[in-house]
Amino acid sequence: MLVKTTLLFFITAIAEIVGCFLPWLWLKKGMTAWLLLPAAASLALFVWLLTLHPAASGRVYAAYGGVYVLTALIWLRVVDGVKLSTWDWVGALVAFSGMLIIVAGWGRA
C-alpha cells in the first residue's frame, strides 16, 4: 500500500502543479488565456485523485503535503532549471519522511 499511495501522491502533485503553472504562464509570461482550460482540467484531476485514498481527508492532505514539497522542488530543478541547495534536499527529505510515517499509520489509528 505504501508504494501505491506514494505513486498516487506523485501523480496528484504533478496534476496540481500543472494546474497552477499554466495560469502562471498566462499571467506572468503573457501566454494565451486558453491555458486556463487545461489548467482547470488538471486541477479537477488533482481533486479527484485525492479522493482515491482510503484514509480520512485530513490525513490524506497532511501526507500529501510531504510528497508535494519533494515534487515541487524537482519541478523547480527540471522545469525552471534552478539548482537545488542542500537545504532544499534536506527539507524535502524531512517532508517526504513525514508522509511515509503518516501513511504507515493508516488503518492503525
Side-chain angles (χ1 to χ4, degrees):
M1 179 179 81
L2 189 58
V3 172
K4 179 182 170 187
T5 297
T6 302
L7 290 174
L8 184 55
F9 275 147
F10 276 112
I11 294 166
T12 304
I14 291 168
E16 181 180 11
I17 291 169
V18 167
C20 294
F21 184 68
L22 295 176
W24 182 87
L25 289 174
W26 167 58
L27 292 168
K28 298 292 262 183
K29 300 291 185 178
M31 297 185 80
T32 179
W34 287 106
L35 289 173
L36 296 177
L37 292 175
S42 189
L43 288 173
L45 176 64
F46 155 69
V47 172
W48 176 72
L49 290 168
L50 281 176
T51 69
L52 299 180
H53 295 280
S57 62
R59 281 198 180 104
V60 171
Y61 304 150
Y64 166 70
V67 173
Y68 180 84
V69 169
L70 177 58
T71 307
L73 287 171
I74 293 170
W75 181 278
L76 179 66
R77 179 67 189 117
V78 173
V79 175
D80 294 331
V82 175
K83 186 172 188 260
L84 300 179
S85 71
T86 301
W87 296 106
D88 291 327
W89 288 113
V90 170
L93 179 62
V94 169
F96 188 74
S97 297
M99 180 279 298
L100 293 172
I101 292 166
I102 292 169
V103 172
W106 284 5
R108 296 184 180 134

